[in-house]
Amino acid sequence: MQHRELIISNYVKTYNNFDVIGMIKNLAPSVKFQNISNGDVNMELDGIEAFRNQAEQAVKLFERREQIIRSFKHTGNKTEIAIDYNAILAIDLPNGLKKGDELNLKGHSIFTFDEEKIIGIMDIS
């Protein structure tokens, strides 16, 4: 389980540093990603290329972003982390949020593993 925590910690560190190559380093080619907000799935990605493309687009949205891991919980081939999220927008968004607005969220992410690779990520806020 310690190895999973290291992989996830590295993923979060590279996310915080806008390092897309680092983010995908431990992802399986067939990785599946879901983002769930207020109970609704608002994004689903299938495969490492789709994930990479989305991550490269998301980099442009933020001046700063930070996930802080608060806890790890291991169950079978899944590891769930509780996170605090803080970001400052770099651009105006269609939903009314403006450049310079600060986002503060609490959520959790569930990482599914196959051996050393992440095969699934579900972000829930």
Side-chain angles (χ1 to χ4, degrees), residues 3-23:
H3 189 65
R4 281 193 206 169
E5 291 182 15
L6 179 61
I7 290 171
I8 292 169
S9 294
N10 286 335
Y11 171 87
V12 169
K13 178 181 175 185
T14 57
Y15 174 90
N16 291 346
N17 291 328
F18 298 95
D19 176 4
V20 174
I21 299 302
M23 289 173 64

Side-chain angles (χ1 to χ4, degrees), residues 66-118:
E66 182 180 32
Q67 289 186 25
I68 299 169
I69 300 172
R70 294 295 177 205
S71 65
F72 289 92
K73 178 182 174 187
H74 304 285
T75 308
N77 69 335
K78 297 181 188 303
T79 298
E80 181 174 347
I81 60 171
I83 60 163
D84 290 343
Y85 180 80
N86 175 273
I88 296 177
L89 291 175
I91 63 169
D92 294 344
L93 298 179
N95 66 2
L97 293 173
K98 301 289 184 199
K99 177 180 178 173
D101 283 355
E102 187 172 357
L103 305 174
N104 289 293
L105 304 167
K106 291 191 180 294
H108 57 279
S109 296
I110 301 169
F111 292 82
T112 305
F113 284 83
D114 182 11
E115 303 292 330
E116 303 284 317
K117 293 292 185 181
I118 298 168

